[in-house]
Amino acid sequence: TIPLQHGAHRIGNRTDADMQRWRDLRFGQFIHWGVYAIPGGMWDGKVYNGAAEWIRSWKEMPHEAYDQLYKQFNPVKYNPADWAQQAKNMGAKYMIITTKHHDGFCLWPSKYAKYTIANTPYKKDILGPMVEAYNKAGIDAYLYFSIIDWNHPDWRTSIKSPADSMAMARFKVFVKNQLKELLDRYPTVKGFWFDGTWDESWKNDGAFSDELEQYLQQLHPGLIIGSRLRADEKGARHFDSNSRLMGDYEQGWERKLPNTIADVHGNDWEGVMTVPENQWGYHQQWFGHVKSANELIEMLVKSASLNGNFVLNFGPKPDGTFRTEEQELMRNIGRWMQVNGSAVYGTGYAGLEKPDWGYYTRKTGTDTVYMVVCNVPVNGNLRVKLPAKQSIAKAWALEQPGVALQPELVSRDEYFIPVEQKVYTSPLVIVMKLEQQQRGQGNFEKAKT
Ligand SMILES: COc1ccc([C@H]2[C@H](O)[C@H](O)[C@H](C)N2C)cc1
Protein backbone atom coordinates (compact mmCIF):
# COMPACT_ATOMS: atom_id res chain seq x y z
CA THR A 1 0.00 0.00 0.00
CA ILE A 2 1.00 3.61 -0.62
CA PRO A 3 1.89 5.51 2.58
CA LEU A 4 -0.75 8.22 2.97
CA GLN A 5 -1.05 11.04 5.47
CA HIS A 6 -4.56 11.98 4.38
CA GLY A 7 -6.15 8.77 3.22
CA ALA A 8 -8.65 6.62 5.10
CA HIS A 9 -7.92 6.58 8.82
CA ARG A 10 -10.16 3.59 9.53
CA ILE A 11 -10.30 0.18 7.91
CA GLY A 12 -13.81 -1.23 7.84
CA ASN A 13 -17.13 0.23 8.88
CA ARG A 14 -17.89 2.24 12.00
CA THR A 15 -19.30 0.07 14.77
CA ASP A 16 -20.54 2.77 17.17
CA ALA A 17 -24.18 3.29 18.18
CA ASP A 18 -24.59 6.50 16.12
CA MET A 19 -23.62 4.66 12.96
CA GLN A 20 -25.84 1.67 13.77
CA ARG A 21 -28.72 4.12 14.27
CA TRP A 22 -28.01 5.58 10.83
CA ARG A 23 -28.06 2.07 9.30
CA ASP A 24 -31.34 1.14 10.98
CA LEU A 25 -33.09 4.28 9.71
CA ARG A 26 -32.67 3.11 6.07
CA PHE A 27 -35.09 5.72 4.57
CA GLY A 28 -34.40 9.45 4.32
CA GLN A 29 -35.95 12.55 2.79
CA PHE A 30 -33.67 14.96 0.89
CA ILE A 31 -34.89 18.55 0.59
CA HIS A 32 -33.39 20.93 -1.96
CA TRP A 33 -34.75 24.39 -1.28
CA GLY A 34 -33.39 27.86 -1.95
CA VAL A 35 -33.42 30.87 -4.29
CA TYR A 36 -33.39 28.55 -7.34
CA ALA A 37 -37.01 27.62 -6.47
CA ILE A 38 -38.07 31.13 -7.56
CA PRO A 39 -37.23 30.72 -11.28
CA GLY A 40 -38.11 27.02 -10.95
CA GLY A 41 -36.22 25.98 -14.08
CA MET A 42 -37.58 28.78 -16.25
CA TRP A 43 -36.40 32.28 -17.15
CA ASP A 44 -37.60 34.95 -19.55
CA GLY A 45 -40.21 32.55 -20.93
CA LYS A 46 -37.63 29.85 -21.68
CA VAL A 47 -37.36 26.40 -20.06
CA TYR A 48 -34.00 25.31 -18.63
CA ASN A 49 -33.36 21.66 -19.44
CA GLY A 50 -30.74 21.22 -16.74
CA ALA A 51 -31.22 20.61 -13.04
CA ALA A 52 -33.25 23.54 -11.65
CA GLU A 53 -30.81 24.23 -8.81
CA TRP A 54 -28.10 24.83 -11.46
CA ILE A 55 -30.06 27.47 -13.38
CA ARG A 56 -27.54 30.20 -12.45
CA SER A 57 -25.02 28.38 -14.67
CA TRP A 58 -27.38 28.50 -17.67
CA LYS A 59 -26.17 30.89 -20.39
CA GLU A 60 -29.76 32.23 -20.67
CA MET A 61 -29.73 33.30 -17.03
CA PRO A 62 -27.60 36.40 -16.37
CA HIS A 63 -25.71 36.05 -13.07
CA GLU A 64 -26.80 39.58 -12.10
CA ALA A 65 -30.45 38.63 -12.56
CA TYR A 66 -30.09 35.44 -10.50
CA ASP A 67 -28.13 37.24 -7.77
CA GLN A 68 -31.04 39.66 -7.20
CA LEU A 69 -33.67 36.94 -6.80
CA TYR A 70 -33.07 36.48 -3.06
CA LYS A 71 -34.79 39.83 -2.58
CA GLN A 72 -38.01 38.03 -3.60
CA PHE A 73 -37.56 34.95 -1.39
CA ASN A 74 -40.60 35.01 0.86
CA PRO A 75 -42.08 31.52 1.51
CA VAL A 76 -45.20 32.76 3.27
CA LYS A 77 -46.72 29.26 3.31
CA TYR A 78 -43.63 27.59 4.83
CA ASN A 79 -44.84 25.35 7.65
CA PRO A 80 -42.07 23.02 8.86
CA ALA A 81 -44.41 21.15 11.20
CA ASP A 82 -46.54 20.28 8.17
CA TRP A 83 -43.43 19.23 6.20
CA ALA A 84 -42.34 17.03 9.10
CA GLN A 85 -45.78 15.42 9.39
CA GLN A 86 -45.84 14.60 5.66
CA ALA A 87 -42.32 13.15 5.90
CA LYS A 88 -43.33 11.11 8.94
CA ASN A 89 -46.39 9.82 7.10
CA MET A 90 -44.16 8.79 4.20
CA GLY A 91 -42.04 6.77 6.65
CA ALA A 92 -38.83 8.78 6.38
CA LYS A 93 -36.64 8.39 9.47
CA TYR A 94 -34.07 11.05 8.60
CA MET A 95 -33.97 14.24 6.57
CA ILE A 96 -31.17 16.08 4.75
CA ILE A 97 -31.71 19.81 4.14
CA THR A 98 -29.65 22.06 1.87
CA THR A 99 -28.25 24.68 4.23
CA LYS A 100 -26.35 26.22 1.30
CA HIS A 101 -26.23 24.91 -2.27
CA HIS A 102 -23.61 25.80 -4.88
CA ASP A 103 -25.14 29.29 -5.34
CA GLY A 104 -24.05 30.17 -1.80
CA PHE A 105 -27.46 31.30 -0.52
CA CYS A 106 -27.73 30.45 3.19
CA LEU A 107 -31.06 29.26 4.60
CA TRP A 108 -29.86 30.39 8.03
CA PRO A 109 -28.86 33.92 9.15
CA SER A 110 -25.12 33.22 9.00
CA LYS A 111 -23.01 35.94 10.57
CA TYR A 112 -20.25 35.14 8.05
CA ALA A 113 -22.23 36.07 4.95
CA LYS A 114 -24.72 38.62 3.64
CA TYR A 115 -26.29 36.31 1.05
CA THR A 116 -28.62 34.75 3.61
CA ILE A 117 -32.28 34.40 4.58
CA ALA A 118 -31.81 37.33 6.98
CA ASN A 119 -31.61 39.69 4.00
CA THR A 120 -34.75 38.44 2.27
CA PRO A 121 -38.32 39.64 2.85
CA TYR A 122 -38.81 36.48 4.91
CA LYS A 123 -35.94 37.39 7.26
CA LYS A 124 -36.46 34.51 9.69
CA ASP A 125 -34.21 31.45 10.10
CA ILE A 126 -35.53 28.55 7.98
CA LEU A 127 -33.34 25.79 9.39
CA GLY A 128 -34.03 26.06 13.13
CA PRO A 129 -37.78 25.52 12.91
CA MET A 130 -37.22 22.73 10.38
CA VAL A 131 -34.73 20.77 12.47
CA GLU A 132 -36.95 21.25 15.52
CA ALA A 133 -40.13 20.13 13.73
CA TYR A 134 -38.50 17.06 12.19
CA ASN A 135 -36.83 16.05 15.45
CA LYS A 136 -40.18 16.45 17.22
CA ALA A 137 -41.68 14.09 14.62
CA GLY A 138 -38.97 11.55 15.46
CA ILE A 139 -36.95 12.25 12.32
CA ASP A 140 -33.16 12.81 12.53
CA ALA A 141 -31.74 15.88 10.76
CA TYR A 142 -28.62 16.02 8.55
CA LEU A 143 -27.22 19.14 6.93
CA TYR A 144 -26.29 19.31 3.25
CA PHE A 145 -23.44 21.81 2.73
CA SER A 146 -21.90 22.75 -0.60
CA ILE A 147 -18.18 23.60 -0.54
CA ILE A 148 -18.56 25.27 -3.94
CA ASP A 149 -19.94 28.76 -3.29
CA TRP A 150 -20.57 30.77 -6.46
CA ASN A 151 -21.44 33.84 -4.38
CA HIS A 152 -18.33 34.07 -2.23
CA PRO A 153 -15.58 36.27 -3.72
CA ASP A 154 -12.83 34.02 -2.34
CA TRP A 155 -14.12 30.71 -3.80
CA ARG A 156 -11.75 29.34 -6.47
CA THR A 157 -12.25 26.29 -8.70
CA SER A 158 -8.48 26.11 -9.16
CA ILE A 159 -5.43 27.86 -7.76
CA LYS A 160 -3.51 29.65 -10.52
CA SER A 161 -1.67 32.37 -8.60
CA PRO A 162 -0.51 33.45 -5.15
CA ALA A 163 -3.59 35.67 -5.03
CA ASP A 164 -5.75 32.58 -5.62
CA SER A 165 -3.94 30.81 -2.77
CA MET A 166 -4.63 33.70 -0.41
CA ALA A 167 -8.27 33.87 -1.48
CA MET A 168 -8.70 30.14 -0.97
CA ALA A 169 -7.05 30.37 2.44
CA ARG A 170 -9.64 32.98 3.43
CA PHE A 171 -12.39 30.79 1.94
CA LYS A 172 -11.33 27.77 4.01
CA VAL A 173 -11.60 29.85 7.20
CA PHE A 174 -15.07 30.92 6.06
CA VAL A 175 -16.06 27.27 5.51
CA LYS A 176 -14.84 26.27 8.96
CA ASN A 177 -16.66 29.22 10.54
CA GLN A 178 -19.95 28.41 8.79
CA LEU A 179 -19.78 24.72 9.69
CA LYS A 180 -19.05 25.49 13.35
CA GLU A 181 -21.89 28.04 13.28
CA LEU A 182 -24.27 25.36 11.95
CA LEU A 183 -23.26 22.92 14.70
CA ASP A 184 -23.61 25.62 17.36
CA ARG A 185 -27.04 26.68 16.12
CA TYR A 186 -28.40 23.17 15.44
CA PRO A 187 -26.71 20.84 17.96
CA THR A 188 -29.19 17.97 17.40
CA VAL A 189 -28.04 17.37 13.81
CA LYS A 190 -26.49 13.92 13.27
CA GLY A 191 -24.20 14.66 10.37
CA PHE A 192 -23.21 16.57 7.25
CA TRP A 193 -23.86 15.74 3.62
CA PHE A 194 -21.07 17.50 1.75
CA ASP A 195 -21.29 18.32 -1.93
CA GLY A 196 -19.42 20.44 -4.48
CA THR A 197 -16.04 18.87 -3.75
CA TRP A 198 -14.92 17.93 -7.27
CA ASP A 199 -12.99 21.08 -8.25
CA GLU A 200 -9.17 21.12 -8.28
CA SER A 201 -8.95 23.66 -5.49
CA TRP A 202 -10.50 21.11 -3.17
CA LYS A 203 -9.21 17.90 -4.72
CA ASN A 204 -5.65 19.18 -4.46
CA ASP A 205 -6.02 20.03 -0.79
CA GLY A 206 -6.57 16.64 0.79
CA ALA A 207 -4.82 17.84 3.94
CA PHE A 208 -7.48 20.46 4.55
CA SER A 209 -10.42 18.14 3.93
CA ASP A 210 -8.83 15.69 6.39
CA GLU A 211 -8.26 18.44 8.95
CA LEU A 212 -11.82 19.71 8.47
CA GLU A 213 -13.33 16.27 9.04
CA GLN A 214 -11.31 15.84 12.23
CA TYR A 215 -12.23 19.38 13.35
CA LEU A 216 -15.93 18.62 12.94
CA GLN A 217 -15.68 15.24 14.72
CA GLN A 218 -13.89 16.94 17.60
CA LEU A 219 -16.57 19.67 17.79
CA HIS A 220 -19.38 17.13 17.66
CA PRO A 221 -18.24 13.53 18.31
CA GLY A 222 -20.23 10.88 16.45
CA LEU A 223 -21.09 13.05 13.44
CA ILE A 224 -21.79 10.99 10.34
CA ILE A 225 -19.99 12.28 7.25
CA GLY A 226 -19.94 10.43 3.93
CA SER A 227 -17.21 9.97 1.36
CA ARG A 228 -17.88 13.19 -0.62
CA LEU A 229 -15.94 15.43 1.78
CA ARG A 230 -12.45 14.06 1.54
CA ALA A 231 -9.68 13.90 -0.97
CA ASP A 232 -6.36 12.25 -0.16
CA GLU A 233 -3.06 13.97 -0.84
CA LYS A 234 -3.00 12.52 -4.36
CA GLY A 235 -6.41 13.93 -5.26
CA ALA A 236 -8.29 10.63 -4.90
CA ARG A 237 -11.92 11.09 -3.80
CA HIS A 238 -14.34 8.72 -2.08
CA PHE A 239 -11.71 5.95 -2.08
CA ASP A 240 -8.13 6.84 -1.23
CA SER A 241 -5.11 5.83 -3.33
CA ASN A 242 -5.17 2.45 -1.55
CA SER A 243 -8.84 1.99 -2.52
CA ARG A 244 -9.98 2.47 1.06
CA LEU A 245 -13.23 4.35 1.65
CA MET A 246 -12.76 7.81 3.18
CA GLY A 247 -15.65 8.88 5.39
CA ASP A 248 -18.34 6.88 7.15
CA TYR A 249 -20.27 5.57 4.14
CA GLU A 250 -19.99 5.54 0.36
CA GLN A 251 -21.79 8.63 -0.87
CA GLY A 252 -21.32 8.31 -4.62
CA TRP A 253 -24.67 6.65 -5.38
CA GLU A 254 -26.41 9.68 -6.86
CA ARG A 255 -29.43 8.84 -9.06
CA LYS A 256 -28.09 5.31 -9.33
CA LEU A 257 -28.02 2.23 -7.10
CA PRO A 258 -25.69 -0.79 -6.83
CA ASN A 259 -27.02 -4.02 -8.37
CA THR A 260 -25.21 -6.68 -6.40
CA ILE A 261 -23.72 -6.98 -2.95
CA ALA A 262 -20.31 -7.18 -4.63
CA ASP A 263 -20.83 -3.62 -5.93
CA VAL A 264 -20.76 -2.20 -2.39
CA HIS A 265 -17.45 -3.81 -1.31
CA GLY A 266 -18.69 -4.36 2.25
CA ASN A 267 -19.07 -0.61 2.84
CA ASP A 268 -21.98 1.26 4.30
CA TRP A 269 -23.54 3.34 1.53
CA GLU A 270 -26.44 5.65 0.74
CA GLY A 271 -28.26 6.23 -2.52
CA VAL A 272 -29.90 9.61 -3.22
CA MET A 273 -32.68 9.77 -5.80
CA THR A 274 -34.73 12.36 -7.67
CA VAL A 275 -38.38 11.88 -8.59
CA PRO A 276 -37.90 13.13 -12.18
CA GLU A 277 -34.77 12.04 -14.03
CA ASN A 278 -32.59 14.92 -12.79
CA GLN A 279 -34.26 17.67 -10.79
CA TRP A 280 -33.24 18.38 -7.18
CA GLY A 281 -34.57 21.94 -6.82
CA TYR A 282 -38.12 22.88 -7.79
CA HIS A 283 -38.73 22.84 -11.57
CA GLN A 284 -42.06 24.20 -12.82
CA GLN A 285 -42.17 21.76 -15.75
CA TRP A 286 -41.11 18.24 -14.92
CA PHE A 287 -40.22 16.51 -18.18
CA GLY A 288 -39.21 12.93 -18.95
CA HIS A 289 -39.95 10.02 -16.66
CA VAL A 290 -41.45 10.77 -13.24
CA LYS A 291 -40.97 7.81 -10.90
CA SER A 292 -44.04 6.17 -9.34
CA ALA A 293 -44.49 5.22 -5.70
CA ASN A 294 -43.98 1.52 -6.53
CA GLU A 295 -40.75 2.27 -8.43
CA LEU A 296 -39.43 4.22 -5.47
CA ILE A 297 -40.56 1.62 -2.91
CA GLU A 298 -38.67 -0.97 -4.96
CA MET A 299 -35.53 1.23 -4.94
CA LEU A 300 -35.84 1.65 -1.17
CA VAL A 301 -36.18 -2.11 -0.63
CA LYS A 302 -33.38 -2.84 -3.11
CA SER A 303 -31.13 -0.47 -1.15
CA ALA A 304 -31.90 -2.10 2.21
CA SER A 305 -31.41 -5.54 0.60
CA LEU A 306 -27.86 -4.45 -0.31
CA ASN A 307 -27.02 -2.92 3.14
CA GLY A 308 -27.65 0.67 2.03
CA ASN A 309 -29.83 3.67 2.85
CA PHE A 310 -32.15 5.31 0.36
CA VAL A 311 -32.88 9.05 0.35
CA LEU A 312 -35.69 10.44 -1.81
CA ASN A 313 -35.47 14.07 -2.88
CA PHE A 314 -38.14 16.79 -2.70
CA GLY A 315 -37.94 20.30 -4.15
CA PRO A 316 -40.36 22.64 -2.37
CA LYS A 317 -41.92 25.57 -4.23
CA PRO A 318 -40.92 29.20 -3.53
CA ASP A 319 -44.08 29.65 -1.44
CA GLY A 320 -42.93 26.94 1.00
CA THR A 321 -45.26 24.14 -0.05
CA PHE A 322 -44.53 20.79 -1.73
CA ARG A 323 -45.90 20.38 -5.26
CA THR A 324 -48.93 18.09 -5.49
CA GLU A 325 -47.04 15.25 -7.22
CA GLU A 326 -44.64 15.14 -4.28
CA GLN A 327 -47.43 15.27 -1.69
CA GLU A 328 -49.15 12.42 -3.52
CA LEU A 329 -45.93 10.38 -3.51
CA MET A 330 -45.45 10.90 0.23
CA ARG A 331 -48.98 9.62 0.83
CA ASN A 332 -48.67 6.61 -1.47
CA ILE A 333 -45.23 5.53 -0.27
CA GLY A 334 -46.41 6.11 3.29
CA ARG A 335 -49.45 3.85 2.84
CA TRP A 336 -47.12 0.96 1.96
CA MET A 337 -44.54 1.82 4.64
CA GLN A 338 -47.17 1.97 7.39
CA VAL A 339 -47.94 -1.70 6.75
CA ASN A 340 -44.59 -3.01 5.47
CA GLY A 341 -41.96 -0.74 7.03
CA SER A 342 -40.60 -3.58 9.17
CA ALA A 343 -39.23 -5.13 5.95
CA VAL A 344 -37.00 -2.01 5.60
CA TYR A 345 -36.21 -0.47 8.99
CA GLY A 346 -33.39 -2.22 10.85
CA THR A 347 -32.75 -4.60 7.97
CA GLY A 348 -29.84 -5.36 5.67
CA TYR A 349 -28.42 -7.94 3.29
CA ALA A 350 -29.99 -11.34 3.91
CA GLY A 351 -27.07 -13.43 2.59
CA LEU A 352 -29.32 -15.27 0.12
CA GLU A 353 -29.08 -15.55 -3.63
CA LYS A 354 -30.99 -12.68 -5.31
CA PRO A 355 -34.38 -14.04 -6.45
CA ASP A 356 -36.16 -13.11 -9.70
CA TRP A 357 -39.36 -12.11 -7.95
CA GLY A 358 -37.88 -9.29 -5.81
CA TYR A 359 -35.69 -8.78 -2.78
CA TYR A 360 -34.73 -10.37 0.54
CA THR A 361 -33.99 -8.22 3.55
CA ARG A 362 -32.91 -9.61 6.93
CA LYS A 363 -33.72 -8.02 10.30
CA THR A 364 -30.19 -7.32 11.43
CA GLY A 365 -28.75 -10.07 13.61
CA THR A 366 -31.83 -12.32 13.45
CA ASP A 367 -33.24 -15.29 11.50
CA THR A 368 -36.15 -13.15 10.30
CA VAL A 369 -36.02 -12.63 6.54
CA TYR A 370 -38.48 -10.53 4.55
CA MET A 371 -39.42 -11.44 0.99
CA VAL A 372 -40.52 -8.30 -0.88
CA VAL A 373 -42.26 -9.49 -4.05
CA CYS A 374 -42.17 -6.97 -6.90
CA ASN A 375 -42.53 -9.44 -9.80
CA VAL A 376 -45.21 -12.08 -9.16
CA PRO A 377 -44.14 -15.27 -11.01
CA VAL A 378 -46.52 -16.63 -13.65
CA ASN A 379 -46.08 -20.14 -12.22
CA GLY A 380 -47.57 -18.96 -8.93
CA ASN A 381 -44.58 -20.01 -6.84
CA LEU A 382 -41.86 -17.97 -5.18
CA ARG A 383 -38.61 -19.96 -5.47
CA VAL A 384 -36.51 -19.72 -2.30
CA LYS A 385 -32.93 -21.04 -2.47
CA LEU A 386 -31.31 -21.35 0.95
CA PRO A 387 -27.68 -21.95 1.88
CA ALA A 388 -26.96 -25.60 2.67
CA LYS A 389 -28.32 -26.91 5.96
CA GLN A 390 -30.84 -24.08 6.36
CA SER A 391 -34.59 -24.51 6.23
CA ILE A 392 -37.75 -22.47 6.57
CA ALA A 393 -39.19 -22.88 10.05
CA LYS A 394 -42.19 -20.64 9.38
CA ALA A 395 -43.51 -18.37 6.66
CA TRP A 396 -46.46 -16.01 6.51
CA ALA A 397 -47.70 -13.00 4.55
CA LEU A 398 -46.88 -9.90 6.57
CA GLU A 399 -50.51 -8.83 6.38
CA GLN A 400 -51.79 -12.23 7.55
CA PRO A 401 -49.54 -13.21 10.47
CA GLY A 402 -51.98 -15.87 11.58
CA VAL A 403 -52.02 -17.78 8.29
CA ALA A 404 -48.98 -20.06 8.02
CA LEU A 405 -47.83 -20.59 4.44
CA GLN A 406 -46.78 -24.13 3.39
CA PRO A 407 -43.42 -23.99 1.61
CA GLU A 408 -42.93 -27.02 -0.65
CA LEU A 409 -39.42 -28.52 -0.61
CA VAL A 410 -38.74 -28.93 -4.33
CA SER A 411 -35.08 -29.96 -4.14
CA ARG A 412 -32.18 -29.82 -1.67
CA ASP A 413 -32.37 -26.47 0.18
CA GLU A 414 -34.88 -25.15 -2.36
CA TYR A 415 -38.53 -24.33 -1.70
CA PHE A 416 -41.61 -23.08 -3.51
CA ILE A 417 -43.85 -20.72 -1.58
CA PRO A 418 -47.21 -20.38 -3.33
CA VAL A 419 -48.35 -16.86 -4.07
CA GLU A 420 -51.96 -15.94 -4.68
CA GLN A 421 -52.63 -15.07 -8.32
CA LYS A 422 -54.45 -11.72 -8.13
CA VAL A 423 -53.92 -8.11 -9.15
CA TYR A 424 -51.21 -6.59 -6.97
CA THR A 425 -51.12 -2.79 -6.72
CA SER A 426 -48.00 -2.67 -4.52
CA PRO A 427 -45.21 -5.05 -3.49
CA LEU A 428 -46.29 -8.09 -1.42
CA VAL A 429 -44.28 -8.92 1.72
CA ILE A 430 -43.80 -12.42 3.09
CA VAL A 431 -41.93 -13.09 6.33
CA MET A 432 -39.76 -16.18 6.83
CA LYS A 433 -38.16 -17.57 9.96
CA LEU A 434 -35.08 -19.53 8.96
CA GLU A 435 -33.44 -22.23 11.03
CA GLN A 436 -30.46 -24.52 10.87
CA GLN A 437 -31.68 -27.91 9.66
CA GLN A 438 -31.98 -30.52 12.41
CA ARG A 439 -29.70 -33.55 11.94
CA GLY A 440 -30.96 -36.12 9.44
CA GLN A 441 -33.30 -33.69 7.74
CA GLY A 442 -30.84 -33.50 4.86
CA ASN A 443 -32.70 -35.81 2.55
CA PHE A 444 -35.68 -34.36 0.77
CA GLU A 445 -39.03 -35.87 -0.06
CA LYS A 446 -39.30 -37.24 -3.60
CA ALA A 447 -39.94 -34.13 -5.73
CA LYS A 448 -43.70 -34.00 -6.24
CA THR A 449 -44.50 -34.49 -9.93
C1 LIG B 1 -23.43 15.73 -12.78
O1 LIG B 1 -22.95 16.75 -11.98
C2 LIG B 1 -23.65 17.02 -10.83
C3 LIG B 1 -24.82 16.33 -10.49
C4 LIG B 1 -25.46 16.67 -9.30
C5 LIG B 1 -24.95 17.65 -8.48
C6 LIG B 1 -25.58 18.05 -7.20
C7 LIG B 1 -27.04 18.39 -7.40
O2 LIG B 1 -27.23 19.77 -7.62
C8 LIG B 1 -27.68 17.93 -6.10
O3 LIG B 1 -27.40 18.83 -5.05
C9 LIG B 1 -26.95 16.60 -5.92
C10 LIG B 1 -27.19 15.97 -4.57
N1 LIG B 1 -25.54 17.00 -6.10
C11 LIG B 1 -24.67 15.84 -6.32
C12 LIG B 1 -23.81 18.33 -8.85
C13 LIG B 1 -23.15 18.00 -10.02
Side-chain angles (χ1 to χ4, degrees):
T1 52
I2 306 161
L4 291 171
Q5 291 296 314
H6 302 296
H9 298 305
R10 183 193 66 247
I11 295 183
N13 297 325
R14 272 177 55 171
T15 55
D16 58 289
D18 291 318
M19 196 68 202
Q20 190 54 46
R21 179 189 174 97
W22 177 89
R23 288 190 193 98
D24 290 344
L25 298 180
R26 283 298 179 232
F27 187 24
Q29 177 189 50
F30 219 144
I31 295 180
H32 275 71
W33 199 33
V35 165
Y36 42 76
I38 295 172
M42 295 180 70
W43 187 253
D44 199 18
K46 293 184 285 293
V47 177
Y48 175 47
N49 287 329
E53 70 284 357
W54 275 75
I55 195 168
R56 187 179 185 275
S57 65
W58 183 30
K59 65 181 183 343
E60 307 276 354
M61 175 89 191
H63 286 178
E64 305 67 46
Y66 184 92
D67 294 346
Q68 295 303 310
L69 290 174
Y70 75 101
K71 293 173 183 167
Q72 299 170 38
F73 194 76
N74 190 14
V76 293
K77 294 183 183 168
Y78 172 54
N79 176 343
D82 178 48
W83 285 20
Q85 189 55 52
Q86 289 188 67
K88 180 176 183 165
N89 293 345
M90 174 171 75
K93 295 293 184 189
Y94 68 107
M95 179 273 286
I96 307 171
I97 176 65
T98 49
T99 61
K100 176 177 93 169
H101 203 261
H102 310 330
D103 64 0
F105 178 69
C106 301
L107 282 182
W108 81 102
S110 174
K111 57 177 186 288
Y112 300 100
K114 289 202 174 354
Y115 194 44
T116 82
I117 192 75
N119 297 319
T120 69
Y122 190 77
K123 291 193 187 347
K124 302 183 292 290
D125 178 18
I126 291 280
L127 296 184
M130 193 185 300
V131 171
E132 186 184 357
Y134 274 78
N135 286 171
K136 202 163 158 222
I139 300 174
D140 285 352
Y142 287 73
L143 302 181
Y144 168 110
F145 185 91
S146 172
I147 299 294
I148 287 177
D149 183 328
W150 295 326
N151 183 269
H152 198 288
D154 289 334
W155 162 249
R156 295 289 182 278
T157 55
S158 62
I159 307 300
K160 294 196 172 65
S161 67
D164 283 347
S165 297
M166 289 190 292
M168 197 62 191
R170 289 191 299 270
F171 185 77
K172 292 190 295 188
V173 170
F174 163 70
V175 164
K176 273 179 98 165
N177 285 335
Q178 282 205 318
L179 290 170
K180 180 176 186 312
E181 182 180 45
L182 286 167
L183 287 177
D184 292 344
R185 291 179 60 92
Y186 315 112
T188 65
V189 299
K190 300 288 186 183
F192 283 106
W193 206 97
F194 284 101
D195 199 6
T197 54
W198 50 80
D199 285 314
E200 265 180 45
S201 59
W202 190 261
K203 254 172 51 172
N204 295 343
D205 196 348
F208 179 69
S209 67
D210 189 8
E211 181 215 318
L212 182 63
E213 188 179 68
Q214 296 189 44
Y215 170 70
L216 294 171
Q217 285 294 355
Q218 175 220 31
L219 278 182
H220 203 97
L223 275 183
I224 293 175
I225 298 173
S227 60
R228 277 180 186 266
L229 175 64
R230 299 265 306 280
D232 73 6
E233 59 260 50
K234 300 180 182 313
R237 293 180 60 229
H238 295 284
F239 295 90
D240 71 16
S241 304
N242 293 317
S243 304
R244 290 199 183 119
L245 184 70
M246 294 183 279
D248 300 323
Y249 61 91
E250 190 187 352
Q251 201 184 349
W253 301 101
E254 186 247 331
R255 289 176 295 129
K256 62 178 189 283
L257 296 176
N259 274 310
T260 67
I261 196 65
D263 292 340
V264 305
H265 308 288
N267 297 313
D268 286 305
W269 63 276
E270 176 195 79
V272 292
M273 193 59 67
T274 50
V275 174
E277 195 174 334
N278 184 20
Q279 293 298 335
W280 299 88
Y282 174 66
H283 197 299
Q284 296 180 61
Q285 294 187 23
W286 275 359
F287 42 83
H289 179 66
V290 175
K291 298 174 192 75
S292 68
N294 280 336
E295 265 183 275
L296 293 163
I297 290 166
E298 181 164 355
M299 289 182 185
L300 169 60
V301 172
K302 176 174 185 177
S303 300
S305 79
L306 294 175
N307 273 343
N309 287 4
F310 183 75
V311 181
L312 180 59
N313 181 72
F314 293 80
K317 299 193 296 193
D319 71 356
T321 63
F322 289 110
R323 66 196 303 147
T324 47
E325 302 94 319
E326 291 184 349
Q327 296 197 38
E328 187 65 19
L329 266 180
M330 285 191 268
R331 280 193 295 275
N332 290 337
I333 292 170
R335 232 190 309 285
W336 189 85
M337 287 300 281
Q338 301 309 329
V339 174
N340 302 288
S342 57
V344 171
Y345 304 130
T347 70
Y349 177 57
L352 305 179
E353 200 178 290
K354 164 89 173 65
D356 295 333
W357 41 258
Y359 307 89
Y360 292 114
T361 62
R362 180 188 289 265
K363 193 63 78 182
T364 303
T366 74
D367 288 330
T368 300
V369 170
Y370 296 90
M371 302 167 60
V372 183
V373 183
C374 300
N375 314 304
V376 179
V378 167
N379 71 14
N381 290 294
L382 301 171
R383 184 183 296 275
V384 177
K385 182 93 174 65
L386 296 182
K389 301 279 179 271
Q390 287 200 31
S391 60
I392 302 174
K394 262 175 65 179
W396 64 94
L398 184 68
E399 290 192 75
Q400 282 123 7
V403 180
L405 298 175
Q406 303 302 333
E408 179 200 350
L409 188 65
V410 293
S411 70
R412 190 182 301 284
D413 307 318
E414 195 159 2
Y415 296 84
F416 270 178
I417 293 183
V419 61
E420 191 188 347
Q421 298 284 13
K422 66 167 196 172
V423 173
Y424 289 87
T425 55
S426 68
L428 161 72
V429 178
I430 288 172
V431 194
M432 281 195 300
K433 280 259 187 244
L434 300 186
E435 66 181 359
Q436 294 303 324
Q437 262 173 11
Q438 276 68 33
R439 192 178 302 288
Q441 238 190 347
N443 60 339
F444 53 91
E445 302 145 51
K446 196 168 156 354
K448 292 185 175 65
T449 48

